[in-house]
Structure formats: C-alpha cells, structure tokens
C-alpha cells in the first residue's frame, strides 16, 4: 500500500483517483476501468492523443490486479476556468469538442465535459482527465452534452452578451451554469437563432419538463452517431467564430501610459540588471498586463506566470503566446483585491490562488505599476500589501509611483473630499511598511518620471 | 457495465434529437452557402488562431518547439 494523499478534488469518478505521492501527482485506476484503460492503451488511442498534444502524456508506473498507477507529465501551475481569459476559455471548449469528435471517430466517447478537465500547459490548452474516456455505445446520445453547455457554451455566451467578467461565474457554479438560469440571462433575440434556441432555450425547457422524473428509470433515448457528430460540429463552428465585442475598444496600453520611450527602456534595463543577479527560472508578473515587460526580460525563464485583472490584457497576451508559439508563458486573469478562493466540497476541491502560488514559489515576483491601484483603488494599506507580496517569492521587484505621478493623481482625485485621508501614500510610508517584510537590495529612480523601482529580498 | 456518476439529465438526452436535427439543417445550409460563395469566388481564408475540428493525424512526435 502506498502511503500517500488522495487529492481532495478527486472523488467524483469511480474509475480512479489522483494521489499526491510526495509532491508528484499520480493517477490510480480502479479495476472497474481496466477494460477501458487497456483498450485505450492497446489501440494506440492514448498515443495519438499525446502526439497531437491533446491529452497530458503519462507513463505507467504499476500494474497489478487491484490497481494500475500512471504518472502524468507534471503541470507546475494549475489555472482554473474562472481564471481564464475569453480566448483561453474558447480554446478549452474547442479542445473538448475536438477530443470528443476524435473519440467518436475511434469508437470512444467522453463521459464528462467539465471545464476543470482542461488546463493550460506549454502555451496551450491540454486535457488532463485521462479517465474521461469510455466506449461509445451504438446510438447513444452524448451523456456529457448538458455538462458541455453548462461548463463551456454557457459561460462563453454570457461573456459575449454581458462581458468577460461573466467567466468568473464558474467560481460559484463549479458544476456549470444551471441551464435554466443561463437561458433566462440571454437576450430575447437569441431565441430567434436556431442554434442558440435549440442548444440553450429548448434544452432548458426539456430539462425543466423532465425535472420531476424521480423514478430514476432513465428512458432509453437514441441518437445516431452521425447526428451526434452534427451537434459537435455545429458547436465547434459556432464557438470558433465567437469573439468579444470589447476587443475592438482596446488600444495599445503602452501608448496610453505616461511613459516616454526612454523611461520605458530604462525601466526594462533596471529590471534586467537586477534579475540577472539572481537568474530566476520562474517568475510571476502581478498586474503584468499583456506581458510586455516579461518579454523584455532576457533571462532563461522556464515558466512565467502573468496575471492581470483585465480580461482584454490577458486575451492580448494569450494571443501573443499563440502566435509566437511561446511555451513558457502562462497568462491568466486574477484580481489582486480578490484572488481565487478555495472552493468545492470541504473547501478543498479547488485550491486558492494564494495556496497555489505558495507551493509554486516563483523565484522572482514583479509588481510593476500596480501598488498605486492596490492602495488607492482598493484602499489596502502598505502593511497589508507587503504581507501579501511576501507570500509569493524570495525576491520582489516593485515599482512605486510617487504622488505627483499622473495616474496617482487621477486615482487620488476620484477620492473627492476623502483625498486627504490618503496622505499616507508616499515613499516614506511605503518603505517603512515593505522593509518590515523585506530587506532592501537596491532602489533607483526612473529618471524623468515620478516612479521609483525597488529590488527587495524577503526576510 | 456502465457507470454514471453524474446526472446527464433526461431532458438533455431527449433534447439532443432535436438539437441534432437543427444542427443538420445548419450544417447543410452552411455547406450550401460555402458552395455558392466559392462558385462566386467569395471565400476568404481567415487566419484564425484555431484550426478546425478534425485532428490532423500524425503519429510522429509533435512536441512544442516554442522559444524559451
């Protein structure tokens, strides 16, 4: 018996479960799933999925009569659906459909279509639930169809009609947006679209109608494979064409910013010089926008996490990741003032951002042009933000925009009559708070700006 | 044996027949439009980030070779 921890999120599927064996995630397969597993393995289906980067590759560690253990390629940092930008969400949905189509072509079928079966790794979406495949049964409808609508099409439609913030709804509805609620939240005109009418409104009606069927004798329903493929193909085509309206309004952030070309270069040079002294392999850029400064970091980075509160910035970043085929960059959406909490049963199914970043422990944290937002928008004290950043990594490069900086002034002006209460926002108070948690390695002003850069080391 | 650890929703199972019928019509009309458009020379190749639903069969290693 291996003495290790069963992962608290791995309890839904009786086919097997995930364990954490001294820091390595492994998957234990129960005898109930042996038939499926060996068929998937022997037919070469798994290998095909691996070769096409659709499913996380694994190797077999142990095979006995009572269990099989596989070790999947380890993913250093997991992001959850409510942390994805629109483009990532879309890719995850398309990946799921692509896999289902491929599975059907080979006489298998996905038995679930949860958004949590997907995460981002090496610059692309990858399916991580190896035990989601089952045999396709002749003329059986797709059992995961409703789940797909609740987990993927629903959130994407809400993002399209009500803005990208809607993607965060999945942190409340970890089993997907209820279909009836989804239908009620879509504008009336969606009823006139045959695709949306059938996939959402009609589905909601049918679900409502059969809700009271408590006998549990699920009546036999049939659907030909061709018909199922039609559903999957139209879903794919529709989702592939989706894009956010707000994209067009987004200009280039760095042209809006109050940075001259020279100051911009200087800032990047300072960051590079400091980073060079520690040669980090892992970095997180908090409030990193579209990843501009990280891309200017000429270090041999293994993985860079770039989070921002603005979905558009993350979308832009992810688009660059795709176009440049960058494998080291992992963008995601995160609100520093409300980072993702722990969720699910016993609050242990999905770990909070803070817990994940503590385990990951990047070697360097960048917090550029973000402290004034935390302090003046969120009213978070310097002591609190210093404590927050001390949780991330040993080294912190933080930029402090002084009073007089145009952004700082703008934020202060929004405070109206309370502006005077924010007199504490100055270099002296910033330093005294942060130096309680950190030692000062170096500090330098960016010439011709009202900004100071700090290189700090955690105490 | 078939084990089911979440409710697929009876309504959703039945609804799929109609959804599929609609999907069939949508696909048929799209195909028709495509034929008409290509006949008139109106088809433009959109440079999308995502390819189409079919997996391009490759048994050779297709690992990422992105820059670091």
């Amino acid at each position: 018996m291996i003495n290790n921890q069963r992962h608290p999120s791995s309890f839904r599927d009786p086919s097997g479960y995930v364990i954490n064996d001294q820091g390595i995630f492994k998957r234990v397969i129960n005898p109930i799933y042996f038939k499926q597993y060996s068929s998937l393995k022997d037919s070469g289906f798994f290998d095909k999925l691996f070769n096409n980067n659709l499913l996380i590759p694994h190797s077999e560690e142990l095979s006995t009569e009572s269990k099989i253990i596989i070790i999947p390629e380890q993913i250093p940092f997991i992001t959850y659906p409510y942390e994805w930008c629109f483009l990532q969400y879309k890719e995850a949905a398309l990946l799921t459909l692509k896999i289902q189509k491929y599975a059907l072509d080979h006489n298998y079928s996905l038995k679930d279509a949860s958004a949590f079966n997907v995460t981002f790794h090496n610059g692309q979406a990858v399916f991580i639930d190896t035990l989601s495949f089952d045999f396709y049964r002749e003329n059986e409808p797709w059992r995961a169809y409703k789940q797909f609508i609740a987990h993927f099409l629903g959130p994407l439609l809400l993002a399209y009609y009500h803005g990208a913030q809607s993607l965060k709804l999945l942190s409340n509805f970890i089993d997907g947006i209820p279909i009836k609620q989804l239908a009620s939240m879509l504008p009336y005109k969606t009823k006139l679209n045959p695709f949306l009418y059938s996939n959402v409104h009609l589905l909601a009606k049918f679900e409502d109608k059969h809700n009271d069927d408590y006998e549990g004798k699920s009546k036999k329903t049939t659907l030909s494979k061709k018909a199922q493929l039609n559903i999957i193909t139209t879903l794919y085509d529709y989702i592939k064409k989706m894009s956010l309206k707000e994209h067009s309004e987004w200009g280039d952030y760095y042209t809006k910013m109050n940075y001259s070309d020279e100051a911009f270069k200087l800032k990047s040079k300072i960051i590079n010089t400091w980073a060079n002294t520690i040669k980090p392999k892992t970095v997180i850029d908090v409030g990193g926008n579209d990843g501009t400064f990280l891309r200017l970091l000429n270090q041999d980075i293994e993985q860079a996490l770039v989070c921002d509160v603005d979905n558009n910035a993350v979308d832009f970043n992810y688009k660059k990741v795709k176009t440049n085929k960058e494998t080291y960059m992992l963008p995601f959406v995160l609100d520093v003032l409300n980072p993702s909490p722990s969720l699910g049963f016993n609050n242990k199914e999905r770990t909070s951002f803070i817990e994940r970043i503590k385990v990951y422990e990047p070697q360097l944290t960048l917090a550029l042009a973000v402290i004034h937002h935390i302090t003046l928008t969120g009213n978070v004290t310097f002591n609190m933000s210093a404590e927050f950043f001390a949780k991330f990594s040993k080294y912190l490069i933080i930029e402090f925009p002084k009073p007089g900086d145009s952004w700082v002034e703008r934020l202060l002006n929004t405070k109206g009559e309370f502006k005077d209460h924010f007199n504490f926002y100055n270099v002296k108070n910033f330093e005294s708070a942060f130096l309680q948690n950190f030692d000062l390695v170096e500090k330098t002003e960016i010439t011709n700006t009202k900004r100071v850069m700090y290189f700090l080391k955690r105490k | 044996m078939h084990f089911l650890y979440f409710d697929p929703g009876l309504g959703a199972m039945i609804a799929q027949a109609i959804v599929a019928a609609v999907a069939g019509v949508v696909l048929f009309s799209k195909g028709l439009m495509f034929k008409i458009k290509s006949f008139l020379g109106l088809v433009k190749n959109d440079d999308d980030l995502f390819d189409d639903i079919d997996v391009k069969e490759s048994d050779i290693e297709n690992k990422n070779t992105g820059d670091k």
Side-chain angles (χ1 to χ4, degrees):
Chain A
M1 180 75 201
I2 308 158
N3 184 21
N4 36 37
Q5 282 285 313
R6 183 176 177 143
H7 193 275
S9 75
S10 191
F11 59 88
R12 289 165 192 243
D13 184 355
S15 310
Y17 53 92
V18 173
I19 52 169
N20 182 348
D21 184 9
Q22 290 154 20
I24 302 202
F25 286 103
K26 298 178 179 177
R27 208 177 267 281
V28 180
I29 303 169
N30 293 327
I32 193 176
Y33 194 73
F34 280 6
K35 211 172 141 200
Q36 283 88 339
Y37 175 78
S38 45
S39 163
L40 291 157
K41 184 179 139 192
D42 299 339
S43 67
F45 184 72
F46 273 153
D47 285 334
K48 279 180 186 158
L49 291 176
F50 300 159
N51 290 341
N52 289 293
N53 294 324
L54 300 170
L55 175 70
I56 193 82
H58 65 247
S59 56
E60 209 174 277
E61 187 196 34
L62 176 95
S63 179
T64 67
E65 271 180 20
S66 60
K67 70 176 160 208
I68 296 173
I69 297 181
I70 56 172
I71 311 176
E73 186 179 317
Q74 303 290 301
I75 297 175
F77 189 86
I78 294 274
T79 51
Y80 294 126
Y82 40 82
E83 293 166 339
W84 300 339
C85 64
F86 183 80
L87 212 54
Q88 287 174 314
Y89 216 106
K90 184 172 149 175
E91 185 178 332
L94 295 179
L95 174 76
T96 306
L97 292 169
K98 203 178 215 179
I99 290 178
Q100 173 63 1
K101 165 89 176 11
Y102 195 63
L104 283 176
D105 289 344
H106 293 81
N107 273 319
Y108 298 105
S109 179
L110 281 178
K111 61 186 182 187
D112 55 28
S114 159
F116 293 96
N117 285 347
V118 180
T119 196
F120 286 81
H121 183 53
N122 288 340
Q124 64 179 91
V126 66
F127 202 79
I128 51 173
D129 188 1
T130 314
L131 311 190
S132 270
F133 299 92
D134 205 342
F135 296 116
Y136 171 71
R137 251 153 252 269
E138 210 54 52
N139 292 329
E140 191 185 56
W142 189 21
R143 292 185 167 265
Y145 168 71
K146 182 181 140 191
Q147 206 183 18
F148 182 85
I149 304 295
H151 277 254
F152 289 108
L153 184 66
L156 285 168
L157 284 172
L158 292 176
Y160 177 76
Y161 286 107
H162 305 291
Q165 294 284 339
S166 316
L167 294 177
K168 290 199 169 179
L169 281 175
L170 221 67
S171 69
N172 260 331
F173 299 108
I174 56 168
D175 285 328
I177 316 276
I179 307 290
K180 203 176 168 186
Q181 183 183 347
L182 169 66
S184 75
M185 287 164 89
L186 293 184
Y188 188 80
K189 63 180 175 196
T190 56
K191 290 190 178 176
L192 305 174
N193 176 323
F195 171 82
L196 292 178
Y197 180 78
S198 57
N199 280 290
V200 180
H201 298 287
L202 188 81
L203 180 62
K205 266 190 195 151
F206 269 72
E207 277 294 292
D208 212 26
K209 193 175 153 196
H210 294 280
N211 213 358
D212 301 332
D213 186 22
Y214 273 114
E215 289 170 35
K217 283 187 286 179
S218 49
K219 283 172 220 159
K220 262 259 184 263
T221 50
T222 58
L223 187 78
S224 71
K225 196 193 249 186
K226 175 81 181 59
Q228 191 186 146
L229 284 170
N230 281 352
I231 297 181
I232 290 157
T233 314
T234 45
L235 280 168
Y236 193 94
D237 291 346
Y238 186 88
I239 293 172
K240 194 184 159 197
K241 283 215 174 77
M242 286 180 94
S243 65
L244 284 188
K245 298 170 194 166
E246 41 206 281
H247 272 177
S248 49
E249 293 161 21
W250 173 257
D252 188 2
Y253 173 79
Y254 289 99
T255 57
K256 281 189 214 160
M257 243 177 35
N258 46 3
Y259 262 114
S260 64
D261 231 20
E262 214 176 306
F264 186 89
K265 276 183 197 147
L266 184 59
K267 180 168 155 182
S268 158
K269 203 180 146 208
I270 295 167
I271 297 169
N272 261 310
T273 316
W274 287 344
N276 203 35
T277 62
I278 51 169
K279 300 199 174 0
K281 293 279 173 218
T282 48
V283 184
I284 181 168
D285 190 347
V286 184
N289 205 274
D290 62 358
T292 298
F293 275 101
L294 252 173
R295 285 193 177 82
L296 293 172
L297 199 62
N298 47 25
Q299 295 291 321
D300 192 16
I301 304 282
E302 272 164 21
Q303 191 174 39
L305 313 182
V306 185
C307 57
D308 202 280
V309 65
D310 180 2
N311 173 78
N312 284 332
V314 183
D315 256 351
F316 257 66
N317 193 0
Y318 192 60
K319 206 170 173 183
K320 279 188 198 163
V321 170
K322 299 298 292 177
T323 354
N324 305 342
K325 294 193 165 42
E326 295 163 331
T327 52
Y328 73 105
M329 185 83 81
L330 177 59
F332 59 99
V333 180
L334 189 88
D335 182 359
V336 174
L337 298 175
N338 183 20
S340 320
S342 300
L343 293 172
F345 184 69
N346 213 6
N347 281 169
K348 281 188 173 163
E349 268 186 80
R350 315 287 166 216
T351 25
S352 73
F353 168 73
I354 297 290
E355 277 172 71
R356 271 175 290 148
I357 202 70
K358 268 188 187 167
V359 172
Y360 182 73
E361 212 186 352
Q363 286 161 312
L364 174 66
T365 302
L366 299 180
L368 310 172
V370 72
I371 187 72
H372 55 311
H373 287 290
I374 302 179
T375 316
L376 300 175
T377 310
N379 293 7
V380 175
T381 65
F382 285 138
N383 283 322
M384 286 162 74
S385 41
E387 215 175 287
F388 173 73
F389 282 117
K391 286 177 181 160
F392 284 59
S393 53
K394 201 166 162 191
Y395 289 97
L396 170 68
I397 294 179
I398 187 164
E399 176 185 22
F400 185 79
K402 292 189 285 190
D405 175 87
S406 64
W407 256 108
V408 174
E409 286 310 307
R410 209 191 110 178
L411 290 170
L412 279 171
N413 288 336
T414 60
K415 301 289 178 190
E417 56 193 292
F418 293 106
K419 194 176 168 181
D420 290 344
H421 292 271
F422 289 87
N423 283 339
F424 74 88
Y425 186 88
N426 56 42
V427 167
K428 191 172 150 272
N429 289 331
F430 170 78
E431 285 181 4
S432 72
F434 270 73
L435 293 182
Q436 280 175 31
N437 291 283
F438 294 93
D439 288 321
L440 179 68
V441 182
E442 216 178 320
K443 107 181 202 193
T444 178
E445 303 232 354
I446 307 177
T447 37
N448 297 326
T449 66
K450 294 269 183 193
R451 299 183 170 210
V452 197
M453 300 287 291
Y454 291 88
F455 186 26
L456 305 170
K457 186 183 176 187
R458 187 167 60 197
K459 279 187 179 170
Chain B
M1 93 148 244
H2 202 98
F3 44 88
L4 195 58
Y5 59 97
F6 71 92
D7 179 15
L10 178 59
M13 295 295 267
I14 301 169
Q16 282 183 63
I18 305 168
V19 178
V22 175
V25 176
V26 169
L27 285 175
F28 177 75
S29 55
K30 267 200 183 144
L32 200 63
M33 278 309 286
F34 184 81
K35 272 180 195 152
I36 296 170
K37 275 185 182 167
S38 35
F39 180 71
L40 298 172
L42 294 172
V43 180
K44 45 179 189 233
N45 268 335
D46 47 348
D47 53 336
D48 211 326
L49 281 178
F50 306 108
D51 40 344
D52 62 7
I53 190 165
D54 287 305
V55 174
K56 296 188 182 49
E57 292 269 0
S58 77
D59 290 322
I60 32 164
E61 283 287 290
N62 189 9
K63 287 279 175 221
N64 269 313
T65 45
D67 57 332
K68 277 243 162 168

